[in-house]
Amino acid sequence: MPPSRTDPATSRWAWFARRLAVVVAAIALAGVGWAWWASILPGTYSAMDVGVPDYGGGPGSAALHAGAHGGRTADGAAAGAAPAAVTGTANDLATMSVIDLVADPGRPADVRVELVARSERITPDGGEPFDGFTLNGESPGPAIRATEGQLVEVVLRNDDVPDGVTLHWHGVDVPAAMDGVAGVTQDAVRAGDSFTYRFVAEQSGTFWYHSHQASHPQVVGGLFGAVILEPAAGTTDAVADVVAAIHTYPGGQRTLNGATGDGHHRAEPGGTVRVRLINTDSTPTSAWVTGSAFRVLAIDGQDLHGPGEVEGRAVELTAGARADLEVRVPVEGAVRVQVPGASLIVGPDGAQADTSSAPRESVDVLAYGEPADTGIDPADADRTFTYDIGRLPGFLDGLPGYWWTINGGILPAVPMYMVDEGDIVVMRIANNSGEVHPMHLHGHHLLVLSRDGQPSTGSPWWVDSLDVEHGESYEVAFTADNPGIWMDHCHNLPHASEGLMTHLAYTGITTPFRLGRDSGNDPE
Ligand code: C2O
Ligand code: CU
């Protein structure tokens, strides 16, 4: 149809529609441009400026939070918005730096360990070489063993790791200054420098340590090790135990204690052995046992109450989680503790153990073991928080992507959970993001109350690492009994670096350390 036949009214409308389209596109583009610009984080910033304070219905106010910011200003930092007018009350609020939250400096160490971090080419036993990281020339680093009540001192020296290193004591509720989070509780230890960690072992169980500077590449590359805290003498029968640290090195090399294939642990026929499984990977794994029934003695360093015998079922380990299994060596042959791609054979030298495929069913800890007093009554909660994980397109520090969200916001528009010492806290963690997230809170243990509204009916189930599947929700509770600034993040470490992290902050605690691209600190 010839265009000249269009009548003048129609072409005016067409002209107008085109103009409108251009204007709308320009506005949209300006909106996107603004969102991009607004997402760019300052070169350095304080953890206390990340997130929107969430008081969970408990005491607290903007003025209180401005009081916390006062500490930041006193540290001489100018970046970020100036705190709003500080009220007299807030000025009077005692603030304390995270660096002062330490173990008794006058107390001598009972256990002292020196660890030297190095960039090195590593070849796992039976595996392929890769460029990774060692502690004292090995990966995993040396296992640290102490007894409950002892003061543990670990001197970390960085020989030549260019990005700097730290050590975080995963699951050990250390004083805040010792938590090892670069940019929050300390500066990354640069090559040639050292840092001394000191804490009293107030728990007993299976834990682990790992770098919390550039943690994704450094942990995958080997900067981790086991921490075994034994119960104080005489409290339980001494049982033979063996660590089984599960790790996948670069190139997809699945290992137990740094070796591919079958590992061996010598044990007498008829003896029982506590196998301390540690999942140091970023994804969940299952473990199962052939040749013996077993009991799950502990999860995340917390003994289960009345754990029953299990047969034909697997145990699921969240990323970062531990499970202590008690296995009995048969009179003939050996027990095999298996994870996909690697096994530990427990028995006399040379004894054989069958392999088996992974059982379809797993132990559901929500209903495993016997109930017992938890010492925590969620009805007394002082604060109730929501940690709702989703995913949205947007910008993270200027980078376009499909980013994780917490309560609908992309970092830094995430909640900062504010508590006072002594609070009982209930948190509802929900996940509608399409993927599983192993949620990890530093410095505290969480009591699982319910999953998808179904209450926990077995042993009290305390965790520091909890898998929340897509579509699931958990209700957990804890007592705020360890003042500090504590990361609360996904332990799928790439996810954390994609913004799935926030923190729990005690009112009045400040940090002099800085995050951001110019700070030299990059905890994930
Ligand atoms: Cu095991 Cu924040 O880490
Ligand atoms: Cu995740």
Side-chain angles (χ1 to χ4, degrees):
M1 201 202 281
S4 58
R5 308 291 283 228
T6 342
D7 76 81
T10 311
S11 70
R12 259 202 313 280
W13 275 115
W15 175 88
F16 181 70
R18 272 200 305 275
R19 275 304 139 112
L20 190 67
V22 167
V23 170
V24 167
I27 291 173
L29 210 66
V32 170
W34 185 85
W36 167 79
W37 182 81
S39 80
I40 296 174
L41 298 168
T44 81
Y45 54 90
S46 166
M48 298 310 292
D49 291 329
V50 181
V52 183
D54 179 344
Y55 293 92
S61 67
L64 272 176
H65 188 63
H69 275 209
R72 179 210 65 192
T73 314
D75 296 323
V86 176
T87 69
T89 336
N91 271 332
D92 295 336
L93 247 194
T95 66
M96 190 178 197
S97 171
V98 76
I99 54 176
D100 295 324
L101 296 161
V102 294
D104 177 1
R107 187 175 157 186
D110 300 300
V111 173
R112 195 164 183 285
V113 180
E114 281 192 34
L115 296 176
V116 179
R118 238 174 248 130
S119 302
E120 223 169 328
R121 199 150 174 82
I122 305 179
T123 309
D125 276 358
E128 298 295 322
F130 64 91
D131 290 320
F133 306 97
T134 58
L135 289 156
N136 297 0
E138 39 188 81
S139 176
I144 297 173
R145 277 190 186 256
T147 301
E148 203 177 338
Q150 286 187 319
L151 193 142
V152 180
E153 184 171 294
V154 179
V155 181
L156 168 67
R157 277 202 290 122
N158 180 3
D159 194 3
D160 66 351
V161 180
D163 289 337
V165 296
T166 67
L167 291 181
H168 166 62
W169 312 93
H170 186 119
V172 185
D173 299 335
V174 299
M178 302 290 114
D179 198 38
V181 181
V184 180
T185 65
Q186 68 173 100
D187 280 323
V189 182
R190 319 303 326 178
D193 288 350
S194 71
F195 187 93
T196 301
Y197 297 92
R198 301 177 93 248
F199 57 88
V200 176
E202 278 164 3
Q203 298 147 279
S204 64
T206 309
F207 305 91
W208 63 300
Y209 62 83
H210 63 78
S211 182
H212 222 306
Q213 161 75 353
S215 61
H216 172 50
Q218 292 192 2
V219 177
V220 173
L223 252 177
F224 68 93
V227 179
I228 310 305
L229 303 179
E230 313 266 10
T235 54
T236 48
D237 305 333
V239 199
D241 75 315
V242 56
V243 170
I246 305 154
H247 191 75
T248 307
Y249 286 105
Q253 308 188 60
R254 203 84 203 292
T255 60
L256 273 183
N257 301 332
T260 63
D262 286 354
H264 293 266
H265 177 73
R266 186 192 305 154
E268 296 304 313
T272 55
V273 177
R274 184 180 191 116
V275 179
R276 302 176 182 273
L277 291 162
I278 308 174
N279 182 5
T280 69
D281 282 338
S282 271
T283 49
T285 191
S286 43
W288 64 97
V289 177
T290 331
S292 164
F294 67 92
R295 296 193 299 146
V296 187
L297 298 180
I299 291 193
D300 287 0
Q302 307 283 317
D303 285 342
L304 296 181
H305 185 246
E309 291 231 314
V310 179
E311 234 166 333
R313 276 185 295 163
V315 171
E316 303 301 331
L317 277 106
T318 305
R322 288 83 61 214
D324 292 13
L325 308 186
E326 183 192 67
V327 300
R328 183 175 294 277
V329 183
V331 183
E332 225 157 296
V335 183
R336 183 185 289 266
V337 180
Q338 236 178 301
V339 298
S343 320
L344 180 72
I345 295 169
V346 181
D349 283 342
Q352 296 301 306
D354 289 340
T355 57
S356 62
S357 50
R360 244 168 311 160
E361 302 272 301
S362 306
V363 175
D364 183 0
V365 189
L366 201 66
Y368 178 70
E370 303 296 328
D373 185 27
T374 60
I376 200 166
D377 184 356
D380 287 346
D382 299 290
R383 304 186 193 254
T384 307
F385 295 120
T386 300
Y387 196 128
D388 203 336
I389 305 161
R391 205 169 189 185
L392 281 177
F395 296 97
L396 176 65
D397 197 6
L399 224 71
Y402 187 38
W403 302 112
W404 309 114
T405 58
I406 306 172
N407 295 356
I410 297 171
L411 193 86
V414 297
M416 167 161 57
Y417 302 108
M418 303 296 300
V419 295
D420 289 320
E421 188 173 3
D423 283 349
I424 292 178
V425 181
V426 169
M427 188 180 267
R428 185 172 169 278
I429 312 171
N431 175 9
N432 283 291
S433 68
E435 283 186 39
V436 62
H437 299 291
M439 301 311 297
H440 173 51
L441 171 64
H442 288 207
H444 301 76
H445 276 80
L446 306 169
L447 175 68
V448 176
L449 302 175
S450 68
R451 180 182 57 217
D452 297 336
Q454 196 188 331
S456 163
T457 54
S459 161
W461 179 17
W462 294 92
V463 294
D464 53 59
S465 311
L466 180 66
D467 261 343
V468 185
E469 305 267 0
H470 170 72
E472 263 183 355
S473 70
Y474 276 89
E475 210 169 30
V476 298
F478 65 94
T479 306
D481 56 3
N482 196 6
I485 301 167
W486 302 101
M487 306 289 287
D488 189 356
H489 66 97
C490 175
H491 218 281
N492 183 320
L493 299 173
H495 290 181
S497 64
E498 292 158 10
L500 193 35
M501 65 155 145
T502 180
H503 51 271
L504 172 79
Y506 284 63
T507 37
I509 309 287
T510 66
T511 174
F513 303 107
R514 310 287 290 176
L515 293 159
R517 77 187 79 83
D518 300 333
S519 68
N521 293 319
D522 178 13
E524 309 303 339

